[in-house]
Amino acid sequence: MAKTGQSAMYRGSVHDFPDFDPNQDAEALYTAMKGFGSDKESILELITSRSNKQRQEISQSYKSLYGKDLIADLKYELTGKFERLIVNLMRPLAYCDAKEIKDAISGIGTDEKCLIEILASRTNEQMHQLVAAYKDAYERDLESDIMGDTSGHFQKMLVVLLQGTRENDDVVSEDLVQQDVQDLYEAGELKWGTDEAQFIYILGNRSKQHLRLVFDEYLKTTGKPIEASIRGELSGDFEKLMLAVVKCIRSTPEYFADRLFKAMKGLGTRDNTLIRIMVSRSELDMLDIREIFRTKYEKSLYNMIKNDTSGEYKKALLKLCGGDDDAAGQFFPEAAQVAYQMWELSAVARVELRGTVCAANDFNPDADAKALRKAMKGIGTDEATIIDIITHRSNAQRQQIQQTFKSHFGRDLMADLKSEISGDLARLILGLMMPPAHYDAKQLKKAMEGAGTDEKTLIEILATRTNAEIRAINEAYKEDYHKSLEDALSSDTSGHFRRILISLATGNREEGGENRDQAREDAQVAAEILEIADTPSGDKTSLETRFMTVLCTRSYPHLRRVFQEFIKMTNYDIEHVIKKEMSGDVKDAFVAIVQSVKNKPLFFADKLYKSMKGAGTDEKTLTRVMISRSEIDLLNIRREFIEKYDKSLHQAIEDDTSGDFLKALLALCGGED
């Protein structure tokens, strides 16, 4: 399959209008603006139905017929966001970009995000047209203006991009790919400090096809995606620019899908960004952007615009969008395959999982035990000392502290902590003091206690733990509650959901690699049970059992291959089909398994984000994830969090919690990204 955006097929949402008559259109616009008030509906309908080339002809006809400037008249008649959108549509793309950049660097302050978006995403030809348009419109040199308004490595990379001299996508040599990988690695990870010039030269000049190969090889060689190295080595606007360049090289439509989502998510809409992208991509790759948007965010771009905007502004944006991908019977199969490509390489490569909490150097359990006793003795409690010690020791070290505390003082450290601290902080600190298997066992027990069952917690733990972790949980559960975990699950759940949980709770997932022949059979089972296969084989009960067996017992590498075979077989992504065809706890359990297989750190990043978004905080989920992942992959989770939500986990915690609970969480978080 060709990479998105590289196909010769037209992928815009706005086309040349058939039987086009520029004089007739000019007359229609003049009539719509004549007299008291203006016919905004007619204006938006006409302008959004014509290609940019046709709009330029309408402008010329309007001037010839009425001796007036069409853009000036539109500015006079329209207002606000609707005016900005319509006027931008009337400008040639290069002049539209030139105006956006002029606005970004005019006045006090600079809109760096606008500069990054335009200069990181445009082709050589578009860049040359932009420079010429800027000169024509403002009689100024764009490079000089950007240099006057920016500085440092950020400025240097912008100037390199502005030249529009990126190499063409010709055949590249393996030797040069390997050399660039080595140069980038030595310029960043292997160097004390960073050689930014190497990053600028390679990312600013090499062809897109060459750089995709470099990124793939970099991941295989270093075990890190290039994005992780950029985040670790660069900072500020320069870091953001380089990440945008990498994303555009990987997939320009995906970059814009992300920008559109971030422009509309949360409170308020970034209308300038929304307008700029909808105008600039409407005749280039809007269909590709829509496909990726639908796949990544599980909603159509059309519906998000519809829910986030209003009036004629909304109507015009929806026209540019060109269609609703949530409409009955519509699904973009290419998007599923693009989605698979997004995570397949990172899933199979040697990506190093890293926690944020590790064993303390020069560890002295005796000194720690004495410091904790002192912090809790007498009137008042020294919470700062408790937080500092417990969040900066590994779990194994905390167990040693407990034993030493008992030996020295004849007291139970957990009992003392319980009596001295309370609320969310107590839940966090006491959770950190428990061995991981016993902590998970307790969370499972709590999820099944009392009236009602917390199915989400059962799913989160059982769907994401390794075989070794599951077996340890079983032993801890039996030891702590004198009952097997399987018996507890059997008595508290029912039906298919119970069967799934018990299957996961056995800890017997295969641990080998993939088997392609078996993967094709497993994909066929999935297609049949999800009712999208052409020829079902076998009764449904048997298929359900086989499908559960596939998801609950196959190894992660094998399941990744199953998901890919499923896409090849059906043109659908299995996660989205499960969400569409299933319901309730069974659906949630299967989705959690699929997401964990695809990208476990991203699964937990989503859990953390959802625990803090909106009104109120789900402190229990926030605490559970931070504790359970702090020594495993919380650093990876942090990277996924900022990549998806354009906000660091550190910042999200800071915005959503307070007091000593906040301090302890930030210590576990381990840093600001």
Side-chain angles (χ1 to χ4, degrees), residues 20 79 129 152 187 229 242 315 320 375 400 408 414 514 638 671:
F20 172 61
T79 58
Q129 291 170 350
S229 291
M242 298 306 258
K315 291 176 187 173
L320 294 179
Q400 286 183 254
H408 271 311
M414 292 283 278
E514 64 182 58
R638 270 170 44 185

Side-chain angles (χ1 to χ4, degrees), residues 241-309:
L241 173 59
M242 298 306 258
L243 288 172
V245 169
V246 169
K247 181 149 271 189
C248 287
I249 286 160
R250 289 195 188 279
S251 168
T252 305
E254 186 189 348
Y255 171 73
F256 283 113
D258 291 345
R259 291 280 293 159
L260 285 168
F261 179 75
K262 287 166 185 172
M264 291 181 281
K265 78 180 177 81
L267 293 172
T269 304
R270 299 171 193 172
D271 294 290
N272 287 356
T273 301
L274 179 57
I275 291 167
R276 187 169 57 244
I277 296 172
M278 294 302 291
V279 169
S280 67
R281 310 316 292 186
S282 60
E283 293 182 53
L284 296 174
D285 52 7
M286 186 57 70
L287 296 185
D288 294 320
I289 292 168
R290 276 170 43 187
E291 290 176 2
I292 292 171
F293 195 99
R294 177 67 183 84
T295 301
K296 278 191 87 167
Y297 300 112
E298 300 165 31
K299 64 182 76 177
S300 69
L301 175 59
Y302 187 97
N303 263 329
M304 196 153 184
I305 291 170
K306 191 175 176 182
N307 294 330
D308 213 64
T309 58

Side-chain angles (χ1 to χ4, degrees), residues 259-511:
R259 291 280 293 159
L260 285 168
F261 179 75
K262 287 166 185 172
M264 291 181 281
K265 78 180 177 81
L267 293 172
T269 304
R270 299 171 193 172
D271 294 290
N272 287 356
T273 301
L274 179 57
I275 291 167
R276 187 169 57 244
I277 296 172
M278 294 302 291
V279 169
S280 67
R281 310 316 292 186
S282 60
E283 293 182 53
L284 296 174
D285 52 7
M286 186 57 70
L287 296 185
D288 294 320
I289 292 168
R290 276 170 43 187
E291 290 176 2
I292 292 171
F293 195 99
R294 177 67 183 84
T295 301
K296 278 191 87 167
Y297 300 112
E298 300 165 31
K299 64 182 76 177
S300 69
L301 175 59
Y302 187 97
N303 263 329
M304 196 153 184
I305 291 170
K306 191 175 176 182
N307 294 330
D308 213 64
T309 58
S310 60
E312 283 86 9
Y313 175 54
K314 172 173 80 173
K315 291 176 187 173
L317 287 171
L318 292 179
K319 286 275 289 179
L320 294 179
C321 184
D324 184 3
D325 308 324
D326 286 338
Q330 282 195 33
F331 188 86
F332 287 109
E334 296 94 339
Q337 300 201 35
V338 169
Y340 183 83
Q341 290 165 358
M342 289 173 197
W343 54 261
E344 184 183 36
L345 261 175
S346 61
V348 298
R350 294 182 297 106
V351 177
E352 182 187 3
L353 295 179
R354 291 176 58 194
T356 54
V357 174
C358 55
N361 295 323
D362 303 320
F363 172 57
N364 186 334
D366 188 66
D368 284 348
K370 287 176 181 174
L372 287 170
R373 175 70 178 137
K374 184 180 178 184
M376 294 185 282
K377 200 174 173 184
I379 299 170
T381 305
D382 180 0
E383 287 90 353
T385 296
I386 294 171
I387 291 168
D388 184 56
I389 292 173
I390 291 175
T391 59
H392 291 95
R393 305 295 183 269
S394 68
N395 194 275
Q397 290 176 332
R398 293 181 205 124
Q399 304 317 309
Q400 286 183 254
I401 294 169
Q402 284 207 69
Q403 291 167 359
T404 305
F405 195 90
K406 190 125 192 173
S407 299
H408 271 311
F409 308 111
R411 302 171 68 90
D412 182 272
L413 177 55
M414 292 283 278
D416 281 6
L417 287 167
K418 273 184 188 176
S419 68
E420 292 293 327
I421 54 178
S422 61
D424 294 325
L425 178 64
R427 190 182 294 116
L428 180 66
I429 295 296
L430 293 170
L432 287 167
M433 291 304 303
M434 295 179 74
H438 289 266
Y439 178 72
D440 278 347
K442 184 175 182 181
Q443 299 309 302
L444 291 169
K445 181 75 163 60
K446 284 190 166 188
M448 294 183 279
E449 274 178 349
T453 304
D454 180 358
E455 292 86 0
K456 284 186 169 62
T457 297
L458 297 181
I459 291 167
E460 177 199 307
I461 294 172
L462 294 176
T464 61
R465 301 311 191 247
T466 65
N467 283 346
E469 288 168 339
I470 291 284
R471 288 167 195 156
I473 291 168
N474 274 289
E475 289 177 19
Y477 200 95
K478 186 83 172 172
E479 180 186 333
D480 294 345
Y481 307 112
H482 312 293
K483 182 179 185 179
S484 75
L485 176 57
E486 183 177 330
D487 287 346
L489 291 168
S490 293
S491 60
D492 208 68
T493 58
S494 61
H496 288 304
F497 183 55
R498 175 169 62 194
R499 291 172 61 206
I500 294 165
L501 293 182
I502 290 173
S503 179
L504 293 171
T506 59
N508 285 324
R509 187 178 289 284
E510 296 164 1
E511 295 186 345

Side-chain angles (χ1 to χ4, degrees), residues 88-99:
N88 275 13
L89 284 169
M90 289 306 304
R91 293 190 177 104
L93 178 60
Y95 285 81
C96 192
D97 280 350
K99 176 70 164 63

Side-chain angles (χ1 to χ4, degrees), residues 28-235:
L29 287 171
Y30 183 78
T31 302
M33 293 186 283
K34 194 168 68 173
F36 186 73
S38 54
D39 183 354
K40 297 180 180 68
E41 189 82 33
S42 296
I43 293 169
L44 81 86
E45 184 64 35
L46 192 151
I47 289 175
T48 58
S49 299
R50 306 299 186 270
S51 67
N52 192 277
K53 180 174 173 291
Q54 290 175 332
R55 293 183 207 121
Q56 304 320 308
E57 292 184 53
I58 295 169
S59 280
Q60 291 168 1
S61 294
Y62 193 90
K63 190 111 181 178
S64 299
L65 289 171
Y66 306 108
K68 294 163 72 76
D69 183 83
L70 177 54
I71 287 181
D73 280 5
L74 287 166
K75 280 183 175 179
Y76 181 79
E77 292 293 332
L78 309 177
T79 58
K81 295 171 285 193
F82 180 55
E83 176 217 321
R84 186 181 180 96
L85 175 62
I86 294 298
V87 167
N88 275 13
L89 284 169
M90 289 306 304
R91 293 190 177 104
L93 178 60
Y95 285 81
C96 192
D97 280 350
K99 176 70 164 63
E100 291 292 314
I101 286 183
K102 186 74 168 67
D103 290 347
I105 57 179
S106 295
I108 298 170
T110 304
D111 183 353
E112 289 86 1
K113 287 183 178 176
C114 173
L115 294 181
I116 290 169
E117 178 197 300
I118 293 174
L119 298 185
S121 65
R122 300 310 191 244
T123 64
N124 286 348
E125 185 183 356
Q126 289 168 338
M127 208 69 84
H128 299 153
Q129 291 170 350
L130 163 60
V131 170
Y134 192 91
K135 186 81 172 173
D136 181 52
Y138 306 110
E139 298 181 349
R140 296 178 64 86
D141 180 66
L142 178 53
E143 183 179 323
S144 298
D145 281 2
I146 282 179
M147 288 185 72
D149 211 65
T150 58
S151 61
H153 298 299
F154 178 59
Q155 177 198 84
K156 289 173 188 171
M157 185 61 178
L158 290 176
V159 170
V160 167
L161 294 172
L162 203 56
Q163 305 313 303
T165 53
R166 188 176 294 286
E167 295 164 353
N168 295 323
D169 279 339
D170 297 320
V171 177
V172 292
S173 72
E174 283 188 25
D175 289 344
L176 188 55
V177 168
Q178 292 293 343
Q179 186 61 53
D180 282 349
V181 168
Q182 192 60 31
D183 288 347
L184 287 171
Y185 192 42
E186 289 176 359
E189 299 284 341
L190 295 182
K191 189 179 177 66
W192 181 260
T194 307
D195 181 0
E196 290 87 356
Q198 279 286 26
F199 280 85
I200 290 170
Y201 175 73
I202 293 171
L203 295 182
N205 290 285
R206 297 283 193 247
S207 74
K208 286 193 169 188
Q209 184 55 35
H210 173 87
L211 284 171
R212 289 185 193 110
L213 296 173
V214 169
F215 298 161
D216 293 350
E217 197 57 38
Y218 189 92
L219 183 60
K220 291 174 189 171
T221 302
T222 68
K224 276 186 174 184
I226 188 69
E227 291 90 341
S229 291
I230 287 172
R231 287 198 184 94
E233 299 299 325
L234 311 180
S235 62

